[in-house]
Amino acid sequence: MKKVLTTCEFCGCGCNFYLGVEGGKVVAVYPSVSHPVSRGMLCIKGWQGHEYIHSPKRLVMPLIKERGEFREASWDEAYQLIADRLKQTRTQYGNDSIALLSSAKCTNEENYLMQKFARAVIRTNNVDHCARLCHASTVAGLSATLGAAAMTNSIDEIENAEVILVTGSNTSEAHPIIAAQIRRAVRQKGARLIVVDPREVPMTKYATLWLRQKPGTDVAWLNGMMHIIIRENLWAKDYVAQRTEGFEELKKVVEKYPPQVVEEITGIPQDRLAEAARLYATARTAMIFFTMGITQHTTGTDNVKSIANLAMLCGKVGIESGGVNPLRGQNNVQGACDVGALPNVLPGYQSLADSKVVKKFEKAWGNKLPTSSGLTVVEMIKAAEEGKIKAMYIMGENPMLSDPDLNHVAQGLKKLEFLVVQDIFLTETAQLAQVVLPAVTFAEKDGTFTNTERRVQLIRKAVEPLGEAKPDWQIIAELSSKMGYHMGYDHPEKIMDEIAQVTPSYGGIDYERLENGGLQWPCPNKTHLGTKYLHKGQFARGLGLFQPVEYLPPAEVPDEEYPFILSTGRVLYHFHTGSITRRAQGLAEIYPESQVEVNPWDAKKLGIDDGAMIKLTSRRGQLKVSAKLTERVPQGLVFLNFHFAEAPANILTNPALDPIGKIPEYKVCAVKVEREAEQ
Ligand code: SF4
């Protein structure tokens, strides 16, 4: 059996494993024992998720829609049609009438080419990807406070942390291997764990303290902790004086959040909040981990700023086993951001507003570039609905399940004059396209992913592409050449060399140097060994900036008509919109259909039995799904995953946006819960 070392294509942990190949097919998976993250472990998705690679439902030929039906086409015919229609749209309506979605599932090289195609070929900054829907507020919040939008520390530092604070993260299900490291730190090294979460997530079993806040009240408890830390003189005075600015402004704001006020807003008992504040502030090393429970709010950027404020106040950033650590959801969401698949920055987060930067890229790419910021994911769909966006090109994303308020997403996409989707399956979004291009899986191509701890790692081709499917980088390059802008790359390695030339933080990265476990950026030159933790000695922005924020309630709160809060998220066995994991037999068999978590007391009042079909209704839509009665959710809260098209959670969610990060409020919307009438 041939064994090919590669990087997992699911979550941002970035585990490595060997794909076992026999007869041209992936038939087995073996974890890599020497890998710094996985250390010989894998979660069930790593073990079994690969079964979709050889699915008979894979796209194997380009498809063109005629009279409402798809027919197979040659690559040349598909490219010609796309090139003609995009050029025609540009001539008729202008460059900014076209929008492009890149993908956190694709490689760095593919994301780099997609944003280059948008900027240098289509000449628009309307390019974005699903980071907008998970960590846009992290990018905004950490850039403003620390000056770098990434996890500050490394996964292997977890075992030496004295205190670990996990909030808004169901780590055991969304980042299982990081959860395993946290459990090991608690059980074998005596770390004390604080979990702050409205749900009784599995990690609460290992917690010294579990604080159960009301959904959407994070700024209040974070300000409350800082209030106590300042009042009890537990803050890091020298660190704050030497390394930060804005402390007096912070102090003024957090003064307004004494524990009794915080208890009224959040429901967290005063003594528990004080205990958590003391535990965190007095630890020598303490790491904070968070995910979408923090970011997916209209106050997402404020929440992230508050976390950074707390960590700086206690001197916990810029040290080993410390820091502010957003866990990135998808395999390459960090990398897709790093290489510029965002509407307001060029690769390496270099500003579109800086004329020197723009000139550098114009010289490198040989074309004039647009300089005004483009539209974000949700804004693109809204603009399509309003008739301002006329054509979209979507690579590897499925907004028909992933975006909020799906009825409006469908209206927007149906109103487009031209839609191209490039994917491995005929997803819900691809079904609406005029042209569908067959891409390949991670096992059929070379490239790199960047995991949540900024580790750039190789993926290696193990099997040949199915049918006529091609890697996304090759499709973009060929289409670009068809449109008159030559992209002559013959291998992704050449694309990485170009990324390194224009992106300072990737400056020292090349494929040869990535052979043994990857490199963590910043890695500015060929002799640099990569960076284990950020902000050592000095913050990326110079001084760390306290950005005090006031508590604001969620955009939609329960009322008489919609008395429950709906929160959405993941389950262990599935990933994103389920387009991959639901086609992996082993996973689909374990978790075959969606379930909504309902508290047993609420269920009793509503006459709902375990497993019964119930109806959830919000101001935007309704769906039916079976109920799972569990005390994991408190009374008044229901929790639904977003993996199943049959019960699409986002038909209900609120598209209200965080004003800075432009991330939708997936974590709180008001719903009605009803027993479904028996037939
Ligand atoms: Fe893959 Fe994440 Fe599971 Fe590791 S933890 S095997 S990266 S899904």
Side-chain angles (χ1 to χ4, degrees):
M1 186 185 292
K2 183 173 86 169
K3 288 184 184 170
V4 180
L5 180 63
T6 193
T7 305
C8 180
E9 82 282 32
F10 291 112
C11 86
C13 292
C15 300
N16 272 206
F17 49 63
Y18 294 87
L19 289 175
V21 179
E22 232 172 35
K25 287 193 166 186
V26 174
V27 294
V29 165
Y30 305 89
S32 161
V33 286
S34 59
H35 189 257
V37 176
S38 35
R39 300 180 184 187
M41 295 181 288
L42 295 176
C43 80
I44 190 160
K45 289 191 288 289
W47 282 113
Q48 296 208 275
H50 62 87
E51 289 166 0
Y52 74 93
I53 294 168
H54 305 290
S55 163
K57 298 214 169 115
R58 283 273 309 275
L59 292 166
V60 290
M61 289 284 290
L63 302 174
I64 291 176
K65 198 179 270 171
E66 277 177 357
R67 290 180 288 280
E69 298 287 327
F70 283 118
R71 67 163 172 83
E72 291 187 345
S74 70
W75 276 102
D76 204 49
E77 186 188 7
Y79 284 148
Q80 194 62 56
L81 177 62
I82 297 167
D84 290 347
R85 292 295 302 268
L86 291 180
K87 282 186 192 165
Q88 186 193 330
T89 306
R90 230 171 27 178
T91 310
Q92 201 173 344
Y93 304 108
N95 302 347
D96 289 336
S97 66
I98 299 174
L100 303 96
L101 285 185
S102 206
S103 172
K105 285 201 276 293
C106 294
T107 62
N108 288 319
E109 293 76 3
E110 289 161 345
N111 278 286
Y112 175 81
L113 281 203
M114 190 58 162
Q115 60 83 38
K116 181 175 176 181
F117 178 73
R119 294 180 159 122
V121 184
I122 304 292
R123 312 272 293 278
T124 180
N125 283 312
N126 289 340
V127 59
D128 203 5
H129 71 287
C130 64
R132 183 70 44 202
L133 308 175
C134 59
H135 273 290
S137 33
T138 298
V139 174
L142 293 189
S143 301
T145 49
L146 311 182
M151 182 165 160
T152 58
N153 287 60
S154 296
I155 296 164
D156 74 355
E157 293 170 40
I158 293 172
E159 64 183 2
N160 292 322
E162 279 183 14
V163 166
I164 299 166
L165 192 163
V166 177
T167 181
S169 161
N170 182 3
T171 324
S172 311
E173 298 196 55
H175 296 90
I177 294 304
I178 292 178
Q181 310 274 24
I182 295 175
R183 282 197 302 272
R184 189 163 58 180
V186 171
R187 290 201 291 209
Q188 293 177 15
K189 301 269 184 144
R192 279 162 305 164
L193 175 65
I194 305 167
V195 175
V196 188
D197 205 293
R199 288 172 75 217
E200 192 177 2
V201 290
M203 202 53 91
T204 57
K205 277 198 221 98
Y206 306 91
T208 303
L209 272 174
W210 168 36
L211 310 183
R212 187 174 224 178
Q213 83 279 39
K214 290 179 193 157
T217 62
D218 299 290
V219 165
W221 70 260
L222 285 155
N223 278 350
M225 273 181 72
M226 287 186 268
H227 176 102
I228 295 162
I229 289 165
I230 294 173
R231 191 180 68 189
E232 299 190 2
N233 225 3
L234 301 174
W235 53 292
K237 291 168 208 69
D238 290 347
Y239 180 98
V240 168
Q242 287 157 19
R243 297 203 47 187
T244 68
E245 56 186 327
F247 171 72
E248 287 305 324
E249 289 80 358
L250 176 83
K251 194 173 162 202
K252 262 185 231 144
V253 171
V254 302
E255 258 166 21
K256 295 185 243 167
Y257 293 83
Q260 60 273 26
V261 170
V262 174
E263 181 169 349
E264 276 163 31
I265 299 171
T266 66
I268 297 173
Q270 297 174 40
D271 56 336
R272 308 277 286 170
L273 186 74
E275 221 180 313
R278 289 175 199 134
L279 202 54
Y280 178 78
T282 56
R284 194 179 47 81
T285 53
M287 301 180 87
I288 301 180
F289 292 93
F290 66 92
T291 61
M292 274 97 91
I294 284 293
T295 60
Q296 289 178 332
H297 293 277
T298 45
T299 56
T301 304
D302 287 352
N303 293 348
V304 174
K305 285 178 177 173
S306 288
I307 287 177
N309 289 341
L310 172 65
M312 287 192 289
L313 181 68
C314 299
K316 302 288 195 277
V317 189
I319 59 168
E320 195 152 350
S321 299
V324 175
N325 299 290
L327 300 178
R328 309 303 297 254
Q330 297 208 52
N331 56 330
N332 197 35
V333 74
Q334 181 66 55
C337 292
D338 297 343
V339 299
L342 296 168
N344 58 338
V345 285
L346 288 154
Y349 309 94
Q350 295 174 87
S351 174
L352 274 169
D354 184 336
S355 59
K356 272 199 212 130
V357 165
V358 174
K359 278 208 183 81
K360 177 176 89 172
F361 279 92
E362 287 181 340
K363 192 167 168 220
W365 295 346
N367 216 348
K368 196 103 188 98
L369 300 182
T371 53
S372 52
S373 285
L375 299 176
T376 62
V377 170
V378 181
E379 289 171 337
M380 286 174 189
I381 301 288
K382 189 160 178 277
E385 212 182 344
E386 291 165 357
K388 292 176 191 155
I389 291 292
K390 300 289 185 186
M392 280 188 80
Y393 193 121
I394 299 177
M395 172 174 81
E397 297 237 330
N398 190 11
M400 278 296 293
L401 277 191
S402 62
D403 287 20
D405 195 3
L406 289 179
N407 285 328
H408 282 275
V409 176
Q411 280 172 29
L413 293 179
K414 283 178 187 164
K415 203 162 171 196
L416 292 170
E417 292 183 6
F418 189 58
L419 173 63
V420 183
V421 173
Q422 183 171 313
D423 213 313
I424 57 173
F425 291 109
L426 194 64
T427 62
E428 292 73 14
T429 305
Q431 287 166 32
L432 300 179
Q434 276 77 50
V435 184
V436 178
L437 302 177
V440 301
T441 66
F442 80 115
E444 298 158 285
K445 63 186 173 187
D446 291 324
T448 59
F449 294 154
T450 303
N451 82 345
T452 187
E453 57 168 6
R454 299 168 276 105
R455 184 180 297 277
V456 186
Q457 309 191 87
L458 290 172
I459 64 164
R460 297 175 178 88
K461 182 174 170 182
V463 290
E464 288 303 317
L466 220 58
E468 292 195 20
K470 296 183 184 189
D472 293 279
W473 66 266
Q474 190 180 343
I475 299 172
I476 303 164
E478 288 174 358
L479 175 63
S480 179
S481 299
K482 190 69 141 186
M483 290 187 71
Y485 182 98
H486 184 59
M487 288 193 189
Y489 312 101
D490 58 3
H491 190 270
E493 187 171 3
K494 304 274 171 50
I495 306 171
M496 179 51 83
D497 291 343
E498 185 176 315
I499 294 172
Q501 276 169 25
V502 294
T503 312
S505 52
Y506 278 59
I509 292 175
D510 61 39
Y511 274 30
E512 203 183 327
R513 296 195 72 207
L514 295 179
E515 277 296 333
N516 297 312
L519 283 166
Q520 286 174 281
W521 67 257
C523 178
N525 58 58
K526 297 282 184 204
T527 54
H528 197 283
L529 297 176
T531 306
K532 191 170 170 179
Y533 62 92
L534 302 178
H535 313 299
K536 187 178 180 182
Q538 189 182 342
F539 283 95
R541 73 176 292 282
L543 292 175
L545 178 62
F546 286 112
Q547 292 237 331
V549 282
E550 299 275 9
Y551 162 71
L552 290 170
E556 193 177 76
V557 290
D559 57 18
E560 218 169 288
E561 195 181 356
Y562 300 99
F564 284 83
I565 292 176
L566 168 76
S567 190
T568 64
R570 292 186 184 166
V571 300
L572 173 64
Y573 306 100
H574 288 291
F575 196 70
H576 208 230
T577 63
S579 58
I580 294 177
T581 47
R582 293 193 63 198
R583 289 172 172 111
Q585 202 186 344
L587 300 173
E589 277 173 9
I590 299 172
Y591 200 102
E593 60 174 28
S594 195
Q595 293 179 315
V596 60
E597 293 178 3
V598 181
N599 183 279
W601 287 101
D602 288 331
K604 197 170 172 195
K605 275 187 257 162
L606 295 167
I608 293 168
D609 296 324
D610 193 35
M613 284 305 277
I614 62 172
K615 189 162 77 178
L616 300 181
T617 310
S618 78
R619 289 184 174 83
R620 292 153 293 278
Q622 63 174 234
L623 58 81
K624 290 173 192 166
V625 61
S626 77
K628 179 177 173 55
L629 307 194
T630 168
E631 294 196 345
R632 223 177 169 186
V633 285
Q635 287 182 55
L637 178 72
V638 291
F639 174 85
L640 180 60
N641 73 76
F642 53 82
H643 308 302
F644 288 80
E646 301 85 339
N650 285 320
I651 209 134
L652 305 169
T653 48
N654 188 355
L657 299 181
D658 172 300
I660 305 167
K662 308 277 178 81
I663 192 168
E665 190 150 64
Y666 289 113
K667 289 295 186 240
V668 180
C669 80
V671 293
K672 183 161 49 181
V673 179
E674 295 167 285
R675 193 170 70 160
E676 179 63 356
E678 280 170 27
Q679 302 295 314

